[in-house]
Every structure is written in C-alpha cells, then in structure tokens.
Amino acid sequence: MTTSSALPEQAGRTCHNVVNPFHSTHYFAPELAAEMARAGIENRSAAYFACRGAAMGAVGPGTITATFYNFKHDLVAEHVPDVWTVTTPAAVLDGRLRAVDATLRRLLGKEAVESPEMAEAARLALRATEACTRRARPLYAAHADLPVPEAPHLAYWHAATLLREHRGDGHLLALLDAELDGLEALVTHTASGRGMSYKGVMATRGWSEEDWTAAQERLRSRGLLDAEGELTEEGVRLRKDLERRTDRLDRAPYEHLGAEGVARLTELAGGFTTAAMNAGAFPAALFGK
C-alpha cells in the first residue's frame, strides 16, 4: 500500500470530482424516471429518496433526512415512508440498476461501455473501495452490502457510488463539526460557485425563500456571508477547511490505490464524465451560479 506522502496534494479530491458525476448521471435521466414509474413512483423527489435510500431498506423519513442532510424534512416526510407502500427496496434497486445500464449506454455508446478502459476504471475504483470503512458511514455501508455487478460499466458505477457515499458520509461529519445545518451548508456551497444554483436548490430540496433568507441571516451573524449573500473571507476559509477535513476523512481509498492508480483512475474517469456531460447528462441550470 502506498503512503499518503506519495500522493500529490488534493489528488483524492481531484479524483472524486470526476468519479462522482459518473454515479450521478442517472438521477437526471429519463430512464430512471421510467423505471421508477413502473415501480409505482411518479414523483421525482420520491424517486430520488427511494433509489438512493433503498440500500438501507424501507427506512422512515428521519433516516433519509439524517443521511441526505440537506433536504427539508417536510419534503422527505411527504414521500417517505409512503413510497414503500407501492414498491419495495429490492424492486427499486433492480430498477435503478436497469436505468443506470440504459443511461450509460445512451450517454457513452456501446464502444465506450464495453471498452478495455471501462474495465480498467472498474478495477481501479473497486481497488480503491477496499480501504473504505463502514464506521459512522451509513449510506456507504448500506451500498457496500450490495453485490458488485458483473458488467464492467455497472461495476465501475457501483464503485463510483461507494466512493461517493464514503466521501459524502465523511463530509457530513465535517459539516456537523462546523455547526452548519443542511440549508446553511447549501447556502455556503452555492455562494462558493461550486454547488447547486439557487434555482436548483429551490427546485429540489424543499426549502422556501423564507428558509433561505433566514439561513443567510444566521450565516451573516457568524460573519460567513456579506450583505450581498457572497462568502466573506471567513466564509471562504470555512469552505476550504470543510474540504480539507473531508479530504482527511476520505484519504484511505486513495492512499490504498496509490499515486499511479489515482492518476490513472482520474484520467479514465475524467474521460467518461466529460463524454457524459457533453451528451447532456446534467441540466446546466441546476448547477453553479
């Protein structure tokens, strides 16, 4: 195993930033909406809560709010646990995997999906997950209990999911330590220009304009936002510190993979993610300022 000193600074974060979108492509895909509709789930929010939470079983709204962190609990409670009266977690997981398969084939094409590079990316990403840990990481741990699909593009997607949820669970610990609630985390991330846009947050997370304004005021009282809603110097430092803490909590998979493996996975993942983005995988209006 390679030590952390052999890794360039932020190499793990850079790798994550190109692996994570590969996981996320299906959330915006018509294939997922169709599969969830066949399972009896027509509402987009309900479909998201179900397909991302299904690995944990038929959990209630409290568990979804806790593990997803930045959704308003009222929105979650509108759909959970009612969603489990029309379908089962097993059916959702099966439908989700079918949707991922169809989405990736549409976005990337048969040649890329069945390429040696895809198989290599799967091997590297799965190797990185060998060093992930379940402790205090509920979404990662639940997904780690699922079988690895046989097809290389689905195996890579599964590994990308594990790496995403492992880092995400750690990031929530950093947010708690920084005393940011779910909406405050969103407001600061949006203000940084790297998170979801205001429009994206309002369309998907269940918060109202009043909620957003109140969160901004709380952040201003801490000196993290200015009058225009932009990050102050202290706010910028806080966001950078959050990423550093998250990097530290998420370093094990990338140390395990080693510098050469991380560099190669970053290269491969960047190519696949760029191709998916160029094919229209993500609605631009929901991200960035």
Side-chain angles (χ1 to χ4, degrees):
M1 189 171 80
T2 307
T3 63
S4 58
S5 61
L7 286 175
E9 187 177 2
Q10 300 183 8
R13 188 194 310 176
T14 300
C15 188
H16 163 80
N17 286 343
V18 288
V19 169
N20 177 37
F22 190 86
H23 158 85
S24 301
T25 52
H26 72 295
Y27 291 132
F28 306 96
E31 292 87 351
L32 182 66
E35 285 288 349
M36 292 301 101
R38 278 191 281 273
I41 308 172
E42 300 282 353
N43 182 273
R44 187 185 186 109
S45 293
Y48 179 79
F49 299 146
C51 72
R52 190 175 173 211
M56 297 187 290
V59 297
T63 301
I64 297 295
T65 300
T67 55
F68 290 19
Y69 200 79
N70 57 29
F71 286 82
K72 189 170 185 175
H73 181 69
D74 293 353
L75 176 64
V76 177
E78 283 181 24
H79 304 293
V80 180
D82 287 352
V83 68
W84 303 127
T85 66
V86 299
T87 189
T88 66
V92 168
L93 289 171
D94 288 345
R96 183 192 201 187
L97 198 59
R98 288 192 298 270
V100 168
D101 180 39
T103 299
L104 294 177
R105 290 182 180 279
R106 172 175 57 83
L107 293 173
L108 301 178
K110 184 177 187 295
E111 183 177 351
V113 162
E114 299 179 2
S115 67
E117 290 79 12
M118 182 67 74
E120 183 183 4
R123 288 193 299 271
L124 290 168
L126 287 169
R127 189 185 308 158
T129 68
E130 293 170 354
C132 293
T133 56
R134 287 178 168 84
R135 296 181 298 276
R137 299 181 193 266
L139 273 173
Y140 162 76
H143 284 88
D145 286 342
L146 301 178
V148 179
E150 291 185 9
H153 66 295
L154 297 180
Y156 174 46
W157 176 83
H158 175 76
T161 301
L162 297 182
L163 292 171
R164 164 203 169 93
E165 300 298 10
H166 188 268
R167 184 177 180 87
D169 287 336
H171 186 60
L172 301 193
L173 298 177
L175 291 174
L176 282 172
D177 188 56
E179 300 182 13
L180 292 177
D181 64 29
L183 183 52
E184 291 164 356
L186 285 172
V187 171
T188 57
H189 200 201
T190 296
S192 75
R194 297 177 180 274
M196 295 189 77
S197 65
Y198 172 80
K199 178 180 178 180
V201 172
M202 292 296 106
T204 61
R205 267 39 182 181
W207 302 103
S208 67
E209 291 184 12
E210 291 76 15
D211 293 328
W212 182 275
T213 299
Q216 286 184 313
E217 287 304 314
R218 293 194 298 273
L219 293 167
R220 287 191 183 98
S221 72
R222 293 176 58 182
L224 300 175
L225 282 189
D226 63 21
E228 287 72 42
E230 300 296 329
L231 292 174
T232 61
E233 290 185 6
E234 182 62 26
V236 170
R237 281 195 295 270
L238 176 64
R239 287 303 318 183
K240 289 181 177 179
D241 186 54
L242 281 170
E243 293 305 322
R244 284 193 294 268
R245 294 185 189 190
T246 304
D247 289 344
R248 178 171 55 81
L249 293 170
D250 192 42
R251 67 182 183 270
Y254 304 100
E255 289 180 352
H256 180 69
L257 187 55
E260 290 185 7
V262 170
R264 180 58 174 160
L265 178 57
T266 302
E267 178 186 7
L268 293 168
F272 293 132
T273 290
T274 297
M277 293 177 70
N278 289 341
F282 302 103
L286 293 185
F287 298 95
K289 291 187 178 181

